[in-house]
Amino acid sequence: MRRLSTQDQNFKQQFADLLAFETVNDPELLKTVDQIIADVRANGDTHVLALTQKFDRHPAQHFSDLELTQTQLKTAFDGLDDEVRQALEMAANRIRSFHEAQKQDGWTYVDALGNTLGQKITPLDRVGIYVPGGLASYPSSVLMNAVPAHVAGVQEIIMVVPAPNGELNPLVLAAAYLAGVHRVFTIGGAQAVAALAYGTETIPQVDKITGPGNRFVAAAKRAVFGQVGIDMIAGPSEILVYAEGKNNAKWLAMDVLSQAEHDTVAQAIFITPDEQLLNAVAEAIEEHLANLPKAEIARTSIANRGALVLVKDRDEAIALINQVAPEHLELSLDDAEQMSQEIRHAGAIFMGRYTPEAIGDYCAGPNHVLPTSGTARFSSPLGVYDFQKRTSLIMCSEQGVKPLAKTADILAQQENLDAHARSARYRYQ
Amino acid sequence: MRRLSTQDQNFKQQFADLLAFETVNDPELLKTVDQIIADVRANGDTHVLALTQKFDRHPAQHFSDLELTQTQLKTAFDGLDDEVRQALEMAANRIRSFHEAQKQDGWTYVDALGNTLGQKITPLDRVGIYVPGGLASYPSSVLMNAVPAHVAGVQEIIMVVPAPNGELNPLVLAAAYLAGVHRVFTIGGAQAVAALAYGTETIPQVDKITGPGNRFVAAAKRAVFGQVGIDMIAGPSEILVYAEGKNNAKWLAMDVLSQAEHDTVAQAIFITPDEQLLNAVAEAIEEHLANLPKAEIARTSIANRGALVLVKDRDEAIALINQVAPEHLELSLDDAEQMSQEIRHAGAIFMGRYTPEAIGDYCAGPNHVLPTSGTARFSSPLGVYDFQKRTSLIMCSEQGVKPLAKTADILAQQENLDAHARSARYRYQ
């Protein structure tokens, strides 16, 4: 695993190179995706079925074979081991509690002129949740997308999940049941995104599509953005662990690996001012890798994109963290809460030695859909906010409008918008 | 102007056709914009200067000629007529007051297990505001973008505004001064968006770009989305006016025209259950058009995309309004507030007969950057929210983490993520 020190002569460049990661906009991919979207718009169910048979080798004969019933979801849920069902329930309950705290009410106030101003909050009518199938089929993602939508008050939640060869992870269906997903279609790829964005004979058009997917899904989401809302275009997973003081190197090493095992292009960075700890963590990572099922993925990830970084002090670490704007940040030290106040950019901060990132992936409560690739500079974890929208409210009184109408008249004239000016003028003259 | 009635046999189709509007993704445009972005990334200031000389016929010799000083902004502000300056100040103050009400604080709570959960709110570090130059140079847009950024606590607000032939609207500069814009560059187009998104030798890289622009700007914003945040891709302006009861047809007609005068593809729709009022408004529109400076634009707009719609009753109107999800909605009736509660989708609702849409464009207080083309189904007016982001906070206690860690362990094993499971297991075993 790469070692860097802020004392290195060319540290700045080395660190910048470490962070550089650009998803290539493959023109062929975009063309393929645009064609799929156009074909789904033109031929609806028929084309979605054909692509699902082709790409997913799904045995469905009719489009209706691609929809699951609530009974199928319930059967999956009822079939779970007690231990797993209880774990899933605890996760759902904690995610729900946290997101309940995000709910916002509208408000109005009356200004000094007697005019009422405010905003109302309305849930989205219908949303689509994309859940990856096959290798990366995560029941936790079902909860993290569907529960906030439910808490927001969305009336209809439609889930799509590809079923390669017609096979599905029962835990994904159980999670859909638990989270109150209304309809489930076993479709995926750009065709699923297109079907949700434009609707087909069977699949109703949604207002927003959330959830992660492969590059076809990401490209399709970008293409339909505007037609529907989308959450974000997620990049590879990231963790940045900062530690100082008394720490267990084995714990920290496993925390680092917990993101590295996701993906060969995931990014795991460990930062400390303690060279002895740095050495111990490096050693523990090697030890863990010796018997980790996903050792090969993790090894590639840390070799390509990982780093152990020695800093002079905590201030240097804070500057680096704000430069990275990591998706997941662990602060493993005594006064983590105080240090967290200096962090301007991070998706989620895990504070103290008893808060491994992994609990955030499943059951801490906050969302695990977080901004990646430095986008925490300007974007936020998925939340109830993503499933509601605001409408501004303005109601003027006959007297109260007059000063406003005069001002609007004057400014509209400056902008050469005469109908605006006259429309305002009617209300004060 | 097109007349429709919900009693028409093919009304549903006619109304759907009226709303249909698709911005074509011109592949040539996208190619041009991608090339401009690549060139600005490669050659920075030099390329931005060259394109500004070429496209804007700007007389600048050096890149430094393209930056305005705070003194230039102040001079523009000091040079305003008293009446205009006061109008601008009133607008800025009212916009500030409304957006102050949007400010949110972070929060934390301690769960039953003794773990702390919450979220912190942080302003974006640096944002870029795109202000169109030339024909559609709107000082009001400067206020509507810069004031919320300021209220949110953004440390550096960078404005770009093209100056065709080196000429600028002094009111735009005055508004920038009043709104506390930190730096202004007289550049525009895709090159300005690229410069803000990636930075050049002189222009610092921003975290988010907001503000409207032409199709090059819109395509560039879509292309850099992910590298930076963007607000939205705005479509043509829209108004939907619903009226019943005692109303002044001339007022309503001018309100309709106030959006029609923006753009030949703007959309103005008038809905009423009162046929007499419908006739009177139709007549008043023709009268107004006879002496409106932008009559030609407005005439094209209402001919192409406008409609007068007769409904049976208010419930029918509510259903149509929710189908349109209009950017601007006027409810000109006695109990507008009650009716507004039935509206699920609109950018802003103007209630009562003394609330013309035009005051919302300038000085009511709420933002005039609103979702268009039906995107109010899933998106919101620009606000303080756009210039802040959330970070999740999680801090477990040594005892409190145990049940969570066990749950994470169980679920991570189900997802075959062994490092996740082991990382959690360390905290409870």
Side-chain angles (χ1 to χ4, degrees):
Chain A
M1 197 165 174
R2 185 185 290 106
R3 285 190 187 216
L4 304 175
S5 163
T6 51
Q7 301 299 298
D8 296 344
Q9 213 185 340
N10 54 348
F11 173 76
K12 273 198 170 177
Q13 187 57 48
Q14 286 180 318
F15 198 70
D17 290 346
L18 178 70
L19 301 184
F21 182 77
E22 195 144 1
T23 36
V24 182
N25 268 337
D26 175 358
E28 277 306 306
L29 171 70
L30 298 182
K31 221 173 113 185
T32 306
V33 164
D34 282 347
Q35 191 57 51
I36 291 173
I37 294 171
D39 290 343
V40 169
R41 290 183 69 178
N43 301 310
D45 286 351
T46 313
H47 198 70
V48 174
L49 176 61
L51 293 184
T52 303
Q53 290 165 335
K54 179 178 167 193
F55 296 140
D56 297 340
R57 301 164 307 282
H58 197 291
Q61 294 297 313
H62 306 285
F63 193 86
S64 58
D65 300 336
L66 296 176
E67 182 165 7
L68 300 182
T69 63
Q70 286 289 330
T71 310
Q72 286 173 288
L73 305 187
K74 184 166 187 309
T75 302
F77 182 76
D78 291 340
L80 294 179
D81 285 350
D82 279 357
E83 189 185 61
V84 174
R85 194 182 62 245
Q86 283 161 16
L88 205 62
E89 283 174 330
M90 185 206 200
N93 288 336
R94 292 188 60 90
I95 296 165
R96 189 175 300 115
S97 296
F98 183 83
H99 288 83
E100 291 278 2
Q102 291 187 329
K103 281 185 81 167
Q104 293 184 288
D105 291 321
W107 44 261
T108 58
Y109 66 89
V110 179
D111 70 14
L113 299 167
N115 302 311
T116 301
L117 302 172
Q119 60 188 26
K120 70 180 244 173
I121 312 280
T122 317
L124 273 56
D125 284 346
R126 190 189 287 129
V127 302
I129 292 177
Y130 191 98
V131 176
L135 285 178
S137 182
Y138 295 149
S140 57
S141 294
V142 177
L143 300 183
M144 292 293 180
N145 282 274
V147 172
H150 238 292
V151 170
V154 173
Q155 288 159 19
E156 194 174 3
I157 302 171
I158 310 221
M159 183 173 120
V160 293
V161 53
N165 304 306
E167 286 162 19
L168 276 168
N169 179 351
L171 198 52
V172 164
L173 304 191
Y177 175 77
L178 185 60
V181 168
H182 299 93
R183 296 180 76 178
V184 178
F185 295 94
T186 55
I187 59 175
Q191 59 275 20
V193 173
L196 290 170
Y198 292 97
T200 67
E201 300 91 322
T202 307
I203 301 178
Q205 183 180 37
V206 303
D207 299 307
K208 188 164 185 168
I209 301 172
T210 68
N214 64 18
R215 60 204 191 100
F216 289 93
V217 174
K221 279 173 71 180
R222 188 184 282 269
V224 300
F225 168 54
Q227 167 66 23
V228 295
I230 61 170
D231 52 344
M232 54 183 94
I233 308 287
S237 196
E238 305 154 6
I239 191 168
L240 192 158
V241 178
Y242 174 76
E244 45 166 93
K246 197 170 146 23
N247 264 293
N248 187 322
K250 283 190 177 180
W251 294 15
L252 297 174
M254 197 61 87
D255 297 354
V256 165
L257 289 171
S258 75
Q259 294 309 298
E261 76 172 343
H262 264 301
D263 194 333
T264 53
V265 289
Q267 182 153 64
I269 297 174
F270 177 72
I271 302 183
T272 184
D274 179 345
E275 191 161 6
Q276 217 172 334
L277 181 62
L278 190 104
N279 292 333
V281 168
E283 212 169 292
I285 287 174
E286 285 306 319
E287 277 173 35
H288 290 328
L289 281 171
N291 63 355
L292 199 66
K294 289 185 189 278
E296 206 174 331
I297 293 173
R299 220 181 268 283
T300 309
S301 155
I302 60 172
N304 289 346
R305 303 203 67 220
L308 304 165
V309 183
L310 188 66
V311 290
K312 257 196 324 197
D313 52 29
R314 193 186 296 182
D315 283 349
E316 273 195 356
I318 289 168
L320 293 182
I321 291 165
N322 282 328
Q323 182 184 346
V324 175
E327 180 190 17
H328 303 106
L329 172 64
E330 273 189 29
L331 299 178
S332 192
L333 66 157
D334 282 334
D335 48 354
E337 220 170 349
Q338 198 193 320
M339 183 173 174
S340 77
Q341 291 167 19
E342 306 295 317
I343 305 302
R344 296 182 55 76
H345 311 304
I349 308 180
F350 299 80
M351 294 179 281
R353 301 189 175 92
Y354 297 95
T355 318
E357 186 280 326
I359 65 157
D361 284 337
Y362 297 102
C363 58
N367 213 288
H368 82 191
V369 181
L370 297 167
T372 54
S373 308
T375 59
R377 289 181 294 118
F378 54 83
S379 57
S380 301
L382 191 71
V384 166
Y385 315 96
D386 290 282
F387 298 103
Q388 298 181 324
K389 70 274 188 345
R390 291 171 280 113
T391 296
S392 299
L393 301 173
I394 308 169
M395 184 166 67
C396 294
S397 67
E398 186 172 353
Q399 289 307 312
V401 76
K402 290 184 176 173
L404 305 193
K406 177 136 200 233
T407 292
D409 183 5
I410 293 165
L411 294 175
Q413 288 182 61
Q414 294 291 323
E415 294 187 354
N416 297 313
L417 293 172
D418 215 63
H420 285 68
R422 294 188 204 182
S423 156
R425 203 174 304 149
Y426 275 135
R427 271 73 174 194
Y428 76 95
Q429 270 186 356
Chain B
M1 197 163 174
R2 185 184 291 104
R3 284 186 188 223
L4 304 175
S5 163
T6 51
Q7 301 299 297
D8 296 345
Q9 214 186 339
N10 55 349
F11 173 77
K12 271 197 171 177
Q13 186 59 47
Q14 287 179 317
F15 198 70
D17 290 347
L18 177 72
L19 301 183
F21 182 79
E22 193 144 2
T23 35
V24 183
N25 268 337
D26 176 356
E28 277 306 306
L29 170 71
L30 297 182
K31 221 173 112 181
T32 306
V33 164
D34 281 347
Q35 189 58 52
I36 290 173
I37 293 171
D39 290 343
V40 169
R41 288 183 70 179
N43 301 310
D45 286 352
T46 313
H47 197 69
V48 175
L49 176 61
L51 292 185
T52 304
Q53 290 165 336
K54 180 177 166 191
F55 295 139
D56 297 339
R57 304 164 305 280
H58 197 292
Q61 292 299 312
H62 306 285
F63 193 86
S64 58
D65 300 336
L66 295 176
E67 181 164 6
L68 301 182
T69 63
Q70 285 290 329
T71 310
Q72 285 172 289
L73 305 187
K74 185 169 189 307
T75 302
F77 182 76
D78 291 339
L80 295 180
D81 285 349
D82 278 356
E83 191 185 58
V84 174
R85 194 182 62 244
Q86 282 160 16
L88 205 62
E89 283 174 330
M90 184 205 201
N93 287 336
R94 290 187 60 89
I95 296 164
R96 190 173 301 114
S97 295
F98 182 83
H99 287 83
E100 291 276 2
Q102 292 186 329
K103 282 184 80 167
Q104 292 183 289
D105 291 321
W107 43 262
T108 57
Y109 65 89
V110 179
D111 70 14
L113 298 168
N115 302 312
T116 302
L117 301 171
Q119 59 188 27
K120 69 181 245 172
I121 311 280
T122 316
L124 273 57
D125 284 345
R126 190 189 287 130
V127 302
I129 291 177
Y130 191 97
V131 176
L135 286 177
S137 182
Y138 294 149
S140 56
S141 293
V142 177
L143 299 183
M144 292 291 181
N145 282 275
V147 171
H150 239 292
V151 170
V154 173
Q155 289 159 18
E156 193 172 4
I157 302 170
I158 311 224
M159 181 173 121
V160 294
V161 53
N165 304 306
E167 285 161 21
L168 277 167
N169 179 349
L171 198 52
V172 165
L173 304 191
Y177 175 77
L178 185 59
V181 169
H182 298 94
R183 297 179 76 178
V184 179
F185 295 93
T186 55
I187 59 175
Q191 59 276 19
V193 173
L196 290 171
Y198 291 97
T200 68
E201 300 90 321
T202 307
I203 300 176
Q205 183 182 34
V206 302
D207 299 306
K208 187 164 186 169
I209 301 172
T210 68
N214 63 19
R215 59 204 193 99
F216 289 94
V217 173
K221 277 173 72 181
R222 189 184 279 270
V224 301
F225 167 55
Q227 167 66 23
V228 295
I230 61 171
D231 51 344
M232 53 184 96
I233 308 288
S237 197
E238 305 154 8
I239 190 167
L240 191 156
V241 178
Y242 174 76
E244 58 170 79
K246 198 171 145 19
N247 264 292
N248 187 322
K250 285 190 177 179
W251 295 16
L252 297 174
M254 197 60 88
D255 296 354
V256 166
L257 289 170
S258 74
Q259 294 309 296
E261 76 172 345
H262 264 302
D263 194 332
T264 54
V265 288
Q267 180 153 64
I269 297 175
F270 177 72
I271 301 182
T272 184
D274 178 345
E275 190 160 9
Q276 220 173 330
L277 181 62
L278 191 106
N279 292 332
V281 167
E283 213 169 289
I285 286 174
E286 284 307 317
E287 279 173 33
H288 290 327
L289 281 171
N291 64 356
L292 198 66
K294 290 186 190 279
E296 207 176 328
I297 292 171
R299 222 181 268 283
T300 309
S301 155
I302 60 172
N304 289 345
R305 305 205 64 220
L308 304 166
V309 183
L310 188 67
V311 288
K312 260 198 319 198
D313 53 27
R314 194 188 294 182
D315 283 348
E316 274 195 356
I318 290 168
L320 294 181
I321 291 165
N322 283 329
Q323 183 184 346
V324 176
E327 179 190 16
H328 303 106
L329 172 65
E330 272 188 30
L331 299 179
S332 194
L333 66 155
D334 282 334
D335 47 354
E337 218 169 348
Q338 200 193 318
M339 182 173 175
S340 76
Q341 290 165 21
E342 306 296 316
I343 305 302
R344 296 182 55 77
H345 310 303
I349 308 180
F350 299 80
M351 294 179 281
R353 303 190 173 91
Y354 297 97
T355 316
E357 185 282 324
I359 64 157
D361 285 337
Y362 297 104
C363 58
N367 213 288
H368 81 190
V369 181
L370 297 167
T372 55
S373 308
T375 59
R377 288 182 292 117
F378 54 82
S379 56
S380 301
L382 191 71
V384 166
Y385 315 96
D386 290 282
F387 298 104
Q388 299 181 324
K389 73 274 184 353
R390 290 171 281 115
T391 296
S392 299
L393 301 175
I394 308 168
M395 184 165 66
C396 293
S397 67
E398 186 172 350
Q399 288 308 312
V401 75
K402 290 183 177 173
L404 306 192
K406 179 141 197 226
T407 293
D409 182 6
I410 293 165
L411 293 175
Q413 287 181 61
Q414 293 291 323
E415 295 186 354
N416 297 314
L417 292 172
D418 214 64
H420 285 67
R422 294 188 201 181
S423 155
R425 203 173 305 150
Y426 276 135
R427 270 74 176 195
Y428 77 94
Q429 272 186 353

